[in-house]
């Protein structure tokens, strides 16, 4: 077992002599895994049906001779120009009817039978040739599905959408019922009349939009499956495709079922002060998608990227600190895009492991240091082992792509960012030093003591029943605003929202939404929505609420905080109902961060979870327990001091009293604090 180290290797961008230097430098840096061939379709099949594998044979042999394992790509992420020039219908079309052109990448319609067939043919050749190559460790299917083209509105897609709808609904009457086409005279007489939700005069049918999101996810997943089927016929090696964190178009719960190992690309902005808590949330998602299993950080940057308007470099030590942030949260691989920084092309100003300026550089020295350290960490075993170990959590947040798609549709009661709401809860819990998993609302929840359900807009009856059963069985359930407003087809749960099961377990119903609203911006320019004032001991006194508010009616619950102003004055903002030995809380707004922290402290206590004692001084010190180790990472500008006993495996010295500079890391084993892993 090892913590993989390396990145995307694109030798086709370089003359042959450079390849020898590449493997020499890979050995120097401790590179153990190279992702090869991601964008090499045009090189592998320069003309339709004419294949050239000689160069790739040589690359794989070179890597093998150097002891570098290979994550071999199926090379289907960017078709060569000849595909679109011969088959223009393979080019994707936007919702406005614009057909996208060649000369960039990912220019294929996911539903195109021609694209899928040519891709399958290429994969067949690759698999036949390399399935038994001794360098192979992993298959890398395509690349970042949907990154640039997640929805295609062309005629080929339209036909595929109709077939998908026919399968889902069976009859056009059923589609009309579910889509609610009685509204605005939208009735269809046959499936032939149904279109993708292209740009239209005003609000498009919400259920049509939602189904098109589902369909678009399914079409990309079908592309993935079709390549995987080819691989599985000839190879038993594991398969992955690289995810992109919280990527709205793809429901990664579905995708995660089909990969052997979860892998993720993540490029937090070094200029963003919230990068650390946000990346922590992304890493927690990746661990959760795999059911807790170790995952791979497939791509990150050694320093700057090139695709932001302004591309901040990483501070000295930051690449290392951020890499340990991923390891702490369950990664067993630290990889980068890309090995050698390009000299030409759109990404030539994106950092690499080998920078433009060569090896006498701070980036290269950090690359070598991290390679050495990860190799040493990989060798630890027994109580000190890190590779393969878990990050146990007693807190979970329900995450639901359908709700994400739905609440952000035009026509919702308020402008709600699904992700920011989830992030607000996640960052407060992690700031207490507690581990958090993401779960599906229908999942088995008995491993958790506290489950939070923010903005679960489209709640199915089984999901509602599962969440209620969790509280009935002794769990602490926290339901946030915007939950259970509709079912999975966007039909409103009548009679007070929330659905029957949550209404019962929460002991409330909702009379009306009253989200804070600024005056109509276009008319008066009056600006941002004002906060809604509220107060309650549970929030630490008076506080502001944001994003949402509503008129909550209590039937069988205690009111722990109330709104204090305007039409809402005196109405409940936070409620709690004891439910057997558990409890069910409702929070009708998004309290400001300090109040949310107060609230979370109560929730954690209510759930019987102990907040771990501080492990280090300092404001921006991240503390994560993985296996028997405590990771202490100083993201702040000032020095921090480690307060726990045990040994720092990075230095071999005593942990207690260790002074960590900015970007400093300690990995402490044998501390009494580590035994509390998972809270
Ligand atoms: C990813 C992609 C890579 C590279 C990288 C740059 O989206 O998979 O090929 O473009 O971003 O940050």
């Amino acid at each position: 077992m090892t913590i993989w180290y390396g990145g995307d290797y694109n030798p086709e961008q370089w003359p042959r002599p450079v390849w020898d230097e590449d493997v020499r430098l890979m050995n120097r840096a401790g590179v153990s895994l190279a992702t090869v061939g991601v964008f090499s379709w045009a090189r592998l099949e320069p003309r339709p049906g004419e294949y050239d594998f000689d160069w790739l044979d040589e690359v794989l042999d070179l890597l093998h001779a150097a002891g570098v394992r290979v994550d071999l790509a199926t090379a289907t992420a960017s078709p060569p120009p000849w595909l679109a020039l011969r088959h223009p219908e393979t080019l994707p079309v936007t919702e406005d009817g614009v057909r996208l052109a060649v000369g960039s990448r990912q220019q294929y319609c996911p539903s195109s039978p021609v694209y899928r067939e040519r891709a399958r043919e290429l994969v067949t050749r690759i698999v036949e040739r390399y399935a038994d190559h001794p360098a192979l460790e992993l298959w890398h299917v395509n690349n970042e599905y949907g990154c640039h083209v997640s929805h295609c509105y062309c005629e080929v897609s339209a036909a595929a959408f109709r077939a998908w709808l026919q399968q889902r609904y069976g009859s056009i009457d059923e589609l009309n019922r579910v889509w609610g086409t009685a509204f605005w005279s939208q009735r269809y007489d046959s499936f032939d009349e149904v279109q993708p939700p292209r740009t239209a005069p005003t609000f498009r049918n919400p259920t049509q939009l939602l189904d098109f999101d589902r369909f678009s996810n399914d079409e990309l997943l079908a592309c993935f499956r079709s390549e995987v089927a080819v691989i599985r016929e000839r190879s038993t090696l594991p398969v992955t495709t690289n995810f992109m964190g919280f990527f709205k178009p793809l429901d990664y719960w579905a995708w995660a079922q089909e990969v052997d190992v979860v892998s993720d690309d993540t490029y937090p902005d070094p200029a963003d002060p919230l990068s650390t808590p946000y990346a922590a949330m992304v890493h927690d998602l990746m661990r959760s998608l795999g059911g807790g299993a170790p995952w791979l950080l497939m791509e990150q940057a050694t320093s700057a990227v090139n695709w932001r308007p302004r591309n901040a470099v990483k501070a000295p030590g930051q690449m290392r600190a951020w890499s340990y942030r991923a390891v702490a949260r369950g990664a067993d691989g630290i990889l980068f895009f890309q090995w050698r920084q390009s000299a030409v092309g759109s990404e030539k100003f994106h950092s690499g492991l080998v920078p433009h300026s060569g090896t006498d550089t701070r980036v290269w020295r950090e690359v070598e240091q991290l390679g050495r350290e990860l190799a040493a960490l990989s060798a630890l075993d027994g109580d000190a082992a890190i590779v393969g170990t878990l990050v146990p959590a007693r807190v979970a947040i329900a995450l639901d792509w359908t709700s994400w798609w739905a609440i952000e549709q035009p026509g919702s009661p308020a402008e709600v960012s699904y992700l920011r709401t989830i992030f607000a809860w996640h960052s407060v819990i992690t700031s207490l030093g507690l581990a958090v998993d993401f779960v599906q609302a229908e999942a088995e929840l008995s491993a958790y003591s506290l489950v939070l359900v923010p903005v679960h807009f489209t709640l199915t009856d089984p999901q509602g029943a599962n969440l209620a059963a969790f509280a009935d069985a002794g769990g602490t359930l926290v339901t946030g605003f915007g939950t259970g407003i509709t079912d999975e087809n966007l039909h409103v749960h009548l009679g007070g929202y929330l659905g029957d099961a949550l209404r019962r377990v929460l002991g409330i119903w909702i009379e009306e939404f009253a989200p804070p609203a600024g005056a109509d911006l276009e008319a008066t320019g009056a600006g941002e929505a004002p906060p809604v004032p509220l107060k309650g001991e549970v929030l630490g006194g008076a506080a502001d609420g944001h994003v949402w508010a509503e008129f909550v009616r209590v039937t069988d619950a205690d009111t722990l905080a109330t709104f204090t102003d305007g039409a809402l004055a005196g109405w409940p903002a936070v409620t709690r109902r004891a439910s057997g030995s558990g409890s069910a809380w409702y929070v009708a707004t998004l309290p400001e961060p300090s109040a949310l922290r107060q609230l979370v402290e109560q929730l954690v206590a209510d759930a019987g979870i102990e907040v771990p004692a501080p492990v280090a001084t300092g404001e921006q010190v991240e503390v994560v327990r993985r296996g028997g180790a405590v990771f202490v990472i100083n993201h702040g500008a000032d020095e921090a001091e480690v307060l726990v006993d045990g040994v720092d495996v990075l230095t071999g010295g005593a942990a207690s009293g260790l002074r960590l500079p900015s970007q400093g890391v300690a990995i402490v084993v044998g501390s009494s604090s580590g035994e509390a892993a998972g809270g």
Side-chain angles (χ1 to χ4, degrees), residues 8 10 38-39 105 143-144 147-148 242 244 265 267 299-301 305-307 337 347 350:
D8 280 38
N10 299 308
V38 174
F39 293 105
R105 68 172 176 185
N143 193 66
E144 293 193 340
C147 172
H148 309 298
N242 41 350
M244 289 166 283
D265 299 351
Y267 293 95
E299 287 184 26
Q300 62 168 341
V305 299
N306 69 304
W307 39 261
F337 177 87
E347 295 187 321
H350 190 291

Side-chain angles (χ1 to χ4, degrees), residues 162 165-166 169-179 181 186-194:
R162 283 179 207 116
L165 291 167
Q166 190 131 27
Y169 295 115
S171 75
I172 196 67
D173 288 347
E174 181 61 3
L175 178 143
N176 280 311
R177 186 191 70 76
V178 172
W179 283 16
T181 58
Q186 292 172 351
R187 183 186 168 278
Y188 298 100
D189 206 42
S190 79
F191 282 100
D192 296 341
E193 293 181 355
V194 181

Side-chain angles (χ1 to χ4, degrees), residues 458-519:
T458 55
L459 192 79
T460 66
D461 288 342
Q463 288 174 334
N466 191 47
L467 295 170
F470 168 75
D472 288 337
T476 299
L477 174 73
V478 185
T479 304
F481 68 82
T483 295
I485 293 177
T486 74
D487 68 10
E488 65 276 26
N489 292 320
L490 300 182
H491 291 218
V492 168
H493 284 300
L494 298 174
Y497 309 109
L498 295 166
D500 295 342
L502 283 189
R503 272 202 300 267
R504 175 192 62 76
V505 82
L506 293 166
I508 61 163
W509 59 280
I510 294 157
E511 188 172 321
E512 186 185 355
F513 309 130

Side-chain angles (χ1 to χ4, degrees), residues 568-591:
L568 282 164
W571 287 74
V574 178
T575 65
R576 176 183 185 276
R577 175 176 170 270
S579 166
S581 55
S583 62
W585 297 62
Y586 187 72
V587 185
T589 184
L590 185 63

